[in-house]
Amino acid sequence: MQRLYDFIRRHPTGVDVFWAVVLLGFSVLWVATSSPRMGHPVGYGVVAALFSLVVALRRRAPEKMLVLAVALGVAQLAFDLVPFMADFAMLVIIFTVAAHDGPRWASRLALIGGLGAATLSQLRWPMGGPGSDAAKVFFVIIMTVPFALAWVLGDSLRTRRAYFAQLEERASRLEQEREAQAKVAVAAERARIARELHDVVAHNVSVMVVQADGAAYVMDSSPETAKQALETISTTGRQALAEMRRLLGILRTGEHQEAGEYVPQPDVQQIEDLVEQVRGAGLTVDFAIEGSPRPLPSGVELTAYRIVQEALTNTRKHGGPDVGASVRLVYFDDGLGLLVEDDGRGAPQEMYEDGGADGRGHGLIGMRERVGMVGGTLDAGPRPGGGFRISALLPLKPAH
């Protein structure tokens, strides 16, 4: 049975031709048995053949077949050819046109023709025998119902098909939107991880390099100082590995089960430890907090920490010898202010003119992206009197 259904779906025109032949056969049989009493056998035969053509081509050319059916109905009225078996094709073409996604004039014409067919037939060939007008009206209504039902069923099928097509289109659009959102989320996550890796590597490796150079310089003259420098390198290296393991764990499913709990994200309270670490690397840093410290959103705390970390790293890179820096945290009612300054020779001019890319890194670009993610502002540039200044304002958004 399923094969039969598949064959019917694959060959709709063949099925229509089969039913057209069946309709033609019954119509010819009716003409052969009834036309000798009613006359016009050739006319009935031509009408039957053309109505069969309407059924055969109803799906290939529904509008044209509708016009042909209307013309045949008018010809029957004009040449006094009473309704017979072939007129069943009118119901078929009305249903087909109503169900077809074609021009709306065809559907309206099919509805008007179907509703008026019974009335015109009654006016042309009045119901014989004695009877009241009410009986004739009732007969017209009864004969109109099949035409109305054919149009309603066809239009309902068209509406349902359009509804399912709309659902499929919406589902396809939602799938495309989900894919686009997933790509955006992946890109954003990659950018975030890239910023984190840059901050971790740039800061910790810079400290390790400075300590290693210092240890090599005093190895012979002051072994104790060299030993402390090597301990600082070891501690800094472990910290860098821990943070990198946390970042790489994000990229691996189940990483936390292998490596234990993740290292907590840095916050504002750890800025003081960061400053002490930088001081231990030989950089003079003045640190101060103004205002009343209070809990901040995690995104603001991480952003503040990374800005100070990157700023001090840039100071060591570009500040030159005997450079000093200062870090200020200011708690406002509606935000957190950061001010990191140094009195060195400053970064290369193109580093801040081009937004932070100096051909060797993207430190300032990463700062601007971080500040932009929390809705803050960043100002970076040369400091009056020499050196470099980074000023940031991070708004405190209410927690939802």
Side-chain angles (χ1 to χ4, degrees):
M1 186 62 68
Q2 184 63 36
R3 293 181 179 180
L4 177 61
Y5 291 154
D6 294 338
F7 177 83
I8 291 175
R9 284 195 295 267
R10 291 196 303 267
H11 303 87
T13 303
V15 176
D16 292 339
V17 171
F18 170 78
W19 289 114
V21 172
V22 171
L23 179 63
L24 180 61
F26 279 106
S27 300
V28 170
L29 181 61
W30 183 91
V31 170
T33 58
S34 303
S35 61
R37 299 190 304 271
M38 305 180 67
H40 308 294
V42 177
Y44 282 109
V46 172
V47 171
L50 293 177
F51 269 130
S52 299
L53 181 64
V54 169
V55 174
L57 301 180
R58 66 186 185 93
R59 297 193 220 200
R60 298 180 68 90
E63 290 82 13
K64 295 180 180 179
M65 293 302 103
L66 174 65
V67 174
L68 178 58
V70 172
L72 292 174
V74 173
Q76 284 186 264
L77 293 174
F79 294 102
D80 195 20
L81 302 176
V82 298
F84 65 113
M85 182 68 64
D87 288 297
F88 182 78
M90 290 186 177
L91 291 174
V92 176
I93 193 61
I94 288 174
F95 169 82
T96 302
V97 171
H100 180 63
D101 294 327
R104 299 309 299 164
W105 65 264
S107 179
R108 297 189 185 98
L109 177 61
L111 177 61
I112 295 172
L115 295 178
T119 302
L120 294 175
S121 177
Q122 181 63 28
L123 293 175
R124 184 67 175 84
W125 303 284
M127 186 174 57
S132 63
D133 293 337
K136 294 180 179 179
V137 172
F138 179 76
F139 177 77
V140 170
I141 294 175
I142 293 299
M143 295 303 298
T144 302
V145 169
F147 293 96
L149 285 178
W151 186 89
V152 170
L153 289 176
D155 190 70
S156 299
L157 180 62
R158 179 191 61 80
T159 303
R160 183 181 180 185
R161 188 164 55 241
Y163 174 71
F164 281 117
Q166 184 179 9
L167 288 181
E168 291 178 357
E169 181 184 0
R170 184 181 303 173
S172 177
R173 187 169 61 251
L174 289 176
E175 183 177 358
Q176 293 176 357
E177 291 178 357
R178 283 195 297 268
E179 292 179 357
Q181 291 174 357
K183 291 180 180 179
V184 171
V186 169
E189 186 66 12
R190 287 177 176 175
R192 188 186 70 82
I193 294 174
R195 287 192 299 267
E196 291 288 324
L197 285 174
H198 172 271
D199 293 339
V200 170
V201 173
H203 172 73
N204 291 291
V205 173
S206 177
V207 171
M208 294 167 66
V209 169
V210 171
Q211 292 292 334
D213 290 342
Y217 182 76
V218 299
M219 180 68 70
D220 297 331
S221 61
S222 180
E224 187 66 26
T225 303
K227 180 180 178 180
Q228 294 178 357
L230 292 175
E231 291 177 352
T232 302
I233 292 174
S234 176
T235 302
T236 305
R238 288 192 180 93
Q239 180 181 354
L241 286 175
E243 292 197 36
M244 291 182 67
R245 180 176 297 178
R246 173 181 60 82
L247 294 174
L248 294 176
I250 298 174
L251 304 178
R252 299 176 183 172
T253 303
E255 176 73 13
H256 60 284
Q257 297 176 358
E258 302 175 3
E261 297 182 357
Y262 291 142
V263 177
Q265 291 277 21
D267 53 24
V268 173
Q269 295 180 356
Q270 296 183 32
I271 293 179
E272 187 172 359
D273 297 334
L274 174 65
V275 171
E276 290 297 329
Q277 183 186 38
V278 173
R279 287 171 178 168
L283 178 66
T284 302
V285 182
D286 180 27
F287 178 66
I289 299 177
E290 301 179 8
S292 301
R294 59 185 181 277
L296 304 173
S298 58
V300 172
E301 296 216 9
L302 177 60
T303 299
Y305 181 91
R306 292 305 187 195
I307 289 176
V308 175
Q309 184 183 54
E310 180 64 28
L312 294 178
T313 299
N314 288 338
T315 297
R316 285 198 303 270
K317 286 183 178 180
H318 308 290
D322 301 328
V323 63
S326 65
V327 178
R328 296 287 184 273
L329 269 65
V330 183
Y331 285 88
F332 300 105
D333 294 337
D334 57 351
L336 174 67
L338 294 172
L339 179 62
V340 183
E341 296 179 307
D342 66 66
D343 55 5
R345 62 191 177 195
Q349 182 76 11
E350 63 272 13
M351 185 172 180
Y352 50 85
E353 286 184 351
D354 296 339
D358 60 354
R360 291 167 293 179
H362 295 81
L364 291 181
I365 292 178
M367 288 188 195
R368 296 185 191 280
E369 290 177 350
R370 287 185 179 278
V371 173
M373 290 179 63
V374 297
T377 58
L378 177 72
D379 182 25
R383 175 173 169 265
F388 202 78
R389 168 186 292 169
I390 294 177
S391 175
L393 179 61
L394 309 178
L396 304 182
K397 298 180 180 180
H400 294 284

